[in-house]
Amino acid sequence: MADLLINGKDAKVLGIRMGSGFMEELLSPYPLKDAVTNESRLEDGKRVFRDDPNAKRYKDSREVTLTFTIEGINSITFLRNVQRFYDILYGGVVEIEVPSIMRKCKLDYIKSSSFGKDYNNTFCSVIVRFEENSILAQREIKGSYNKSYNKSYR
Protein backbone atom coordinates (compact mmCIF):
# COMPACT_ATOMS: atom_id res chain seq x y z
CA MET A 1 0.00 0.00 0.00
CA ALA A 2 1.18 3.53 -0.78
CA ASP A 3 2.52 5.75 2.01
CA LEU A 4 1.29 8.95 0.36
CA LEU A 5 -1.31 9.58 -2.33
CA ILE A 6 -1.53 12.92 -4.13
CA ASN A 7 -4.72 13.44 -6.14
CA GLY A 8 -5.29 9.68 -5.99
CA LYS A 9 -1.85 8.75 -7.40
CA ASP A 10 0.97 7.03 -5.58
CA ALA A 11 3.47 9.79 -4.81
CA LYS A 12 6.42 7.38 -4.78
CA VAL A 13 5.91 6.75 -8.52
CA LEU A 14 6.22 10.53 -9.05
CA GLY A 15 9.41 10.63 -6.97
CA ILE A 16 7.67 12.49 -4.12
CA ARG A 17 7.88 11.49 -0.46
CA MET A 18 6.83 12.91 2.89
CA GLY A 19 9.38 15.07 4.66
CA SER A 20 9.92 15.59 8.37
CA GLY A 21 6.88 16.54 10.43
CA PHE A 22 4.45 15.72 7.61
CA MET A 23 2.06 13.48 9.52
CA GLU A 24 2.23 15.60 12.68
CA GLU A 25 1.15 18.66 10.71
CA LEU A 26 -1.85 16.84 9.22
CA LEU A 27 -2.88 15.53 12.64
CA SER A 28 -2.68 18.90 14.39
CA PRO A 29 -6.02 20.24 15.65
CA TYR A 30 -8.04 22.88 13.82
CA PRO A 31 -8.35 26.39 15.26
CA LEU A 32 -11.79 27.50 16.43
CA LYS A 33 -13.72 30.45 15.10
CA ASP A 34 -14.00 33.49 17.34
CA ALA A 35 -17.06 33.85 19.56
CA VAL A 36 -19.53 36.61 18.75
CA THR A 37 -18.54 39.74 20.67
CA ASN A 38 -19.58 43.38 20.99
CA GLU A 39 -17.30 46.15 22.17
CA SER A 40 -19.12 49.29 23.17
CA ARG A 41 -17.46 52.56 24.09
CA LEU A 42 -20.19 53.06 26.69
CA GLU A 43 -19.19 49.94 28.70
CA ASP A 44 -16.00 48.57 30.18
CA GLY A 45 -14.57 45.52 28.41
CA LYS A 46 -16.52 43.62 25.82
CA ARG A 47 -19.52 41.32 25.77
CA VAL A 48 -19.17 37.75 24.62
CA PHE A 49 -22.51 36.39 23.48
CA ARG A 50 -23.01 32.84 24.61
CA ASP A 51 -26.71 32.13 24.82
CA ASP A 52 -26.10 28.49 25.54
CA PRO A 53 -23.00 27.67 27.62
CA ASN A 54 -22.92 24.22 25.98
CA ALA A 55 -23.11 25.67 22.45
CA LYS A 56 -20.75 24.16 19.93
CA ARG A 57 -17.80 26.25 18.74
CA TYR A 58 -17.07 25.83 15.04
CA LYS A 59 -13.80 24.93 13.37
CA ASP A 60 -12.02 27.52 11.28
CA SER A 61 -9.85 27.06 8.19
CA ARG A 62 -6.18 26.47 8.82
CA GLU A 63 -2.82 26.81 7.16
CA VAL A 64 -0.79 23.63 6.79
CA THR A 65 2.95 23.67 6.10
CA LEU A 66 4.18 20.38 4.63
CA THR A 67 7.69 19.27 3.72
CA PHE A 68 8.07 17.15 0.60
CA THR A 69 11.19 15.45 -0.72
CA ILE A 70 11.54 14.95 -4.45
CA GLU A 71 14.08 12.58 -5.91
CA GLY A 72 15.21 11.03 -9.17
CA ILE A 73 17.80 8.46 -10.23
CA ASN A 74 19.60 11.10 -12.33
CA SER A 75 19.29 14.83 -12.94
CA ILE A 76 16.90 14.41 -15.90
CA THR A 77 14.35 12.31 -13.99
CA PHE A 78 14.79 14.56 -10.95
CA LEU A 79 13.96 17.71 -12.92
CA ARG A 80 11.02 15.93 -14.55
CA ASN A 81 9.70 14.95 -11.09
CA VAL A 82 10.12 18.52 -9.83
CA GLN A 83 8.12 19.81 -12.82
CA ARG A 84 5.38 17.21 -12.18
CA PHE A 85 5.22 18.34 -8.56
CA TYR A 86 4.84 21.98 -9.64
CA ASP A 87 2.10 20.97 -12.08
CA ILE A 88 0.24 19.31 -9.20
CA LEU A 89 0.56 22.45 -7.06
CA TYR A 90 -0.57 24.81 -9.82
CA GLY A 91 -3.41 22.51 -10.90
CA GLY A 92 -5.89 23.71 -8.27
CA VAL A 93 -7.06 21.72 -5.28
CA VAL A 94 -4.47 19.21 -4.06
CA GLU A 95 -5.88 16.11 -2.37
CA ILE A 96 -3.40 14.59 0.08
CA GLU A 97 -4.08 11.14 1.53
CA VAL A 98 -1.95 9.35 4.11
CA PRO A 99 -3.48 5.89 4.66
CA SER A 100 -1.30 5.03 7.68
CA ILE A 101 -2.93 7.79 9.75
CA MET A 102 -6.30 7.51 7.95
CA ARG A 103 -6.29 11.15 6.90
CA LYS A 104 -7.38 12.85 3.68
CA CYS A 105 -7.26 16.59 3.10
CA LYS A 106 -8.22 18.89 0.27
CA LEU A 107 -5.71 21.71 0.21
CA ASP A 108 -5.22 24.95 -1.73
CA TYR A 109 -1.64 25.87 -2.60
CA ILE A 110 -0.48 29.21 -1.17
CA LYS A 111 3.30 29.34 -1.63
CA SER A 112 6.59 27.53 -1.29
CA SER A 113 8.77 28.94 1.43
CA SER A 114 11.96 26.92 0.94
CA PHE A 115 13.72 24.84 -1.69
CA GLY A 116 17.00 23.02 -1.13
CA LYS A 117 18.68 20.52 -3.44
CA ASP A 118 21.80 18.39 -3.40
CA TYR A 119 24.92 18.83 -5.47
CA ASN A 120 24.12 16.01 -7.93
CA ASN A 121 20.63 17.33 -8.86
CA THR A 122 18.95 14.10 -7.75
CA PHE A 123 17.26 15.12 -4.47
CA CYS A 124 15.55 18.19 -3.01
CA SER A 125 13.41 19.24 -0.11
CA VAL A 126 10.50 21.64 -0.62
CA ILE A 127 8.47 23.31 2.14
CA VAL A 128 4.98 24.16 0.87
CA ARG A 129 2.24 26.13 2.58
CA PHE A 130 -1.37 25.15 1.94
CA GLU A 131 -4.72 26.35 3.21
CA GLU A 132 -7.42 23.89 4.17
CA ASN A 133 -10.60 25.89 3.57
CA SER A 134 -13.38 23.39 3.90
CA ILE A 135 -13.54 21.16 6.93
CA LEU A 136 -16.67 19.50 5.55
CA ALA A 137 -14.86 18.59 2.33
CA GLN A 138 -12.54 16.39 4.38
CA ARG A 139 -15.51 14.43 5.73
CA GLU A 140 -17.09 14.06 2.29
CA ILE A 141 -14.11 12.29 0.76
CA LYS A 142 -15.02 8.63 0.47
CA GLY A 143 -12.09 6.41 1.24
CA SER A 144 -11.28 2.76 1.39
CA TYR A 145 -11.00 2.78 5.17
CA ASN A 146 -12.80 0.36 7.43
CA LYS A 147 -16.32 1.10 8.67
CA SER A 148 -15.29 1.87 12.25
CA TYR A 149 -13.07 4.71 11.01
CA ASN A 150 -15.87 6.20 8.90
CA LYS A 151 -18.28 6.10 11.85
CA SER A 152 -15.86 7.60 14.36
CA TYR A 153 -14.80 10.38 12.00
CA ARG A 154 -18.29 11.79 11.37
Side-chain angles (χ1 to χ4, degrees), residues 16 23 40 43 52 115 137:
I16 303 168
M23 289 191 264
S40 173
E43 298 175 349
D52 182 10
F115 180 88

Side-chain angles (χ1 to χ4, degrees), residues 16-84:
I16 303 168
R17 297 179 191 265
M18 295 182 276
S20 63
F22 196 95
M23 289 191 264
E24 291 83 358
E25 186 74 22
L26 290 179
L27 288 172
S28 65
Y30 295 95
L32 295 177
K33 291 186 177 184
D34 294 332
V36 178
T37 60
N38 184 16
E39 290 190 47
S40 173
R41 290 179 284 174
L42 303 175
E43 298 175 349
D44 291 333
K46 67 179 177 181
R47 290 185 185 189
V48 178
F49 296 101
R50 293 189 182 139
D51 296 334
D52 182 10
N54 296 326
K56 180 181 177 183
R57 298 264 317 267
Y58 293 99
K59 296 176 184 175
D60 200 359
S61 63
R62 67 177 179 164
E63 285 192 3
V64 179
T65 304
L66 301 174
T67 303
F68 294 92
T69 59
I70 305 169
E71 53 192 30
I73 55 173
N74 56 33
S75 62
I76 294 170
T77 58
F78 166 72
L79 293 172
R80 186 180 310 135
N81 291 342
V82 169
Q83 187 58 47
R84 286 181 188 165

